[in-house]
């Protein structure tokens, strides 16, 4: 089996300014790279939209060895309806708890030393008031499933994840590719994408986007295959070599994001014309 690892989770955001404030100033993440696109992604990376959009990668360290968040912003879309699938990201950071208190960002203690908070848009985060002796504070992504047995067959038997914990009574399980990786359902690295695509075809599994090459202006072209698990959660498998080139930390990333936000006058335009932004 080719080497695999969890890379990132994608959030579609409507308020880019407040979102950037949450990830940078509350969680303490850094902007790793920022990219602007003039038209929609042909693999629907930005959703079912054809217009201008941006992608911002944020995390506690480089994508090579940290689990990060991808913040996707579609110009003209003010908010997105949430489903019941995403249940939260858990991270261990006393600094994030301290930052939230200092900035008066709402916190609710849901267990001893564990605080629930929300990113703009309603995405939940669980902050453990401690710091672990490891480089990446992100511990896990939690998603809801309709049939645990069916999901474990998919994620373990087909996609090769390992079960680290399983609770039949509470109907939950903790999965991952390696002991030092976040357990999640999100984009992954997969070195032999044609083999993955062939496997899913043989098993009659849903392929949302067959093997395709995606261009990023001025950067590497990566190959991806996008699948859907039994509950419709999208999983994007990315070729390793090109992704390592694409994902290099850009020291200008934070400035590029700030410049893009300063140049984005869409809020003022909608306010001037007394129109609400569209909902996604």
């Amino acid at each position: 089996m080719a080497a695999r690892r969890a890379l990132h989770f994608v959030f579609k955001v409507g308020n880019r300014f407040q979102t950037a404030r949450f990830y940078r100033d509350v969680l303490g993440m850094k902007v790793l790279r920022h990219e602007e696109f003039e038209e929609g992604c042909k693999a629907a990376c930005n959703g079912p939209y054809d217009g201008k959009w941006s992608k911002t990668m944020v995390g506690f360290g480089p994508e090579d060895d940290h689990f990060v968040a991808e913040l996707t912003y579609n110009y003209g879309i003010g908010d997105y309806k949430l489903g019941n699938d995403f249940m939260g990201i858990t991270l261990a950071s006393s600094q994030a708890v301290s930052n939230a208190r200092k900035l008066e960002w709402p916190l609710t203690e849901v267990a001893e030393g564990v605080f629930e908070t929300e990113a703009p848009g309603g995405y939940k985060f669980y902050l453990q008031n401690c710091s672990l002796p490891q480089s990446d504070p992100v511990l896990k992504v939690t998603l809801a499933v309709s049939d645990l047995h069916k999901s474990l067959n998919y994620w373990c038997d087909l996609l090769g994840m390992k079960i680290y914990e399983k609770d039949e009574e509470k109907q939950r399980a903790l999965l991952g590719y390696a002991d030092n990786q976040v357990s999640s359902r999100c984009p992954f690295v997969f070195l032999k994408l044609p083999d993955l695509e062939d496997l899913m075809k043989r098993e009659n599994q849903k392929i949302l986007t067959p093997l395709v090459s995606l261009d990023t202006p001025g950067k590497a072209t990566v190959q991806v295959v996008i699948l859907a698990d039994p509950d419709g959660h999208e999983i994007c498998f990315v070729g390793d070599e090109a992704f390592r080139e694409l994902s290099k930390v850009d020291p200008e990333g934070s400035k590029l994001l700030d410049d893009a936000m300063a140049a984005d006058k869409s809020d003022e335009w909608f306010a001037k014309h007394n129109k609400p932004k569209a909902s996604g």
Side-chain angles (χ1 to χ4, degrees), residues 7-38:
L7 294 177
H8 57 261
F9 198 87
V10 180
F11 297 98
K12 289 184 174 63
V13 303
N15 187 322
R16 195 163 47 169
F17 180 81
Q18 285 297 329
T19 296
R21 181 170 181 255
F22 175 78
Y23 283 92
R24 288 193 290 197
D25 300 342
V26 177
L27 297 186
M29 290 183 173
K30 299 177 181 178
V31 175
L32 305 174
R33 55 189 172 98
H34 175 81
E35 293 144 1
E36 294 279 328
F37 301 87
E38 293 299 321

Side-chain angles (χ1 to χ4, degrees), residues 23-260:
Y23 283 92
R24 288 193 290 197
D25 300 342
V26 177
L27 297 186
M29 290 183 173
K30 299 177 181 178
V31 175
L32 305 174
R33 55 189 172 98
H34 175 81
E35 293 144 1
E36 294 279 328
F37 301 87
E38 293 299 321
E39 57 185 27
C41 173
K42 61 183 177 181
C45 300
N46 64 313
Y49 306 101
D50 294 328
K52 185 177 179 181
W53 65 288
S54 76
K55 176 171 65 178
T56 307
M57 311 303 294
V58 295
F60 291 101
E63 291 173 81
D64 257 0
D65 51 15
H66 287 74
F67 184 82
V68 309
E70 176 181 318
L71 309 177
T72 298
Y73 173 74
N74 288 289
Y75 286 80
I77 306 297
D79 59 81
Y80 296 87
K81 297 178 178 66
L82 298 185
N84 61 357
D85 53 348
F86 176 76
M87 301 186 71
I89 287 182
T90 300
L91 57 91
S93 174
S94 55
Q95 185 61 56
V97 175
S98 176
N99 292 343
R101 287 170 171 164
K102 182 178 179 181
L103 296 171
E104 298 184 345
W105 200 277
L107 287 176
T108 301
E109 190 165 16
V110 294
E112 185 176 356
V114 180
F115 297 87
E116 179 184 298
T117 190
E118 287 188 3
Y123 303 111
K124 293 186 183 298
F125 282 75
Y126 295 91
L127 312 180
Q128 295 185 1
N129 195 17
C130 63
S131 295
L132 299 182
Q134 62 186 43
S135 61
D136 192 355
V138 180
L139 302 179
K140 63 183 179 182
V141 177
T142 304
L143 292 186
V145 299
S146 59
D147 185 321
L148 183 61
H149 178 71
K150 186 182 292 185
S151 292
L152 290 178
N153 285 342
Y154 185 89
W155 287 90
C156 299
D157 296 345
L158 294 180
L159 299 187
M161 272 193 161
K162 176 181 176 182
I163 299 176
Y164 288 91
E165 298 175 15
K166 185 179 179 182
D167 189 324
E168 289 285 1
E169 182 179 350
K170 295 183 178 179
Q171 284 289 286
R172 65 186 184 189
L174 185 68
L175 312 177
Y177 276 123
D179 295 347
N180 62 343
Q181 292 180 9
V182 65
S183 302
S184 56
R185 297 184 185 164
C186 49
F188 300 107
V189 163
F190 190 95
L191 298 184
K192 297 181 179 179
L193 296 178
D195 292 345
L196 171 66
E197 187 175 39
D198 289 343
L199 171 64
M200 291 299 158
K201 288 178 180 178
R202 291 197 304 271
E203 295 293 332
N204 293 316
Q205 297 295 327
K206 184 176 292 187
I207 300 174
L208 297 178
T209 302
L211 183 62
V212 65
S213 296
L214 301 181
D215 297 324
T216 298
K219 297 185 179 181
T221 297
V222 298
Q223 291 189 316
V224 306
V225 171
I226 303 178
L227 310 176
D229 82 346
D231 289 291
H233 299 126
E234 294 186 16
I235 319 105
C236 178
F237 284 80
V238 188
D240 182 71
E241 184 176 351
F243 183 80
R244 291 184 185 277
E245 176 66 27
L246 172 67
S247 63
K248 289 180 179 178
V249 175
D250 183 354
E252 295 295 311
S254 193
K255 181 179 183 300
L256 290 173
L257 171 60
D258 288 335
D259 289 347

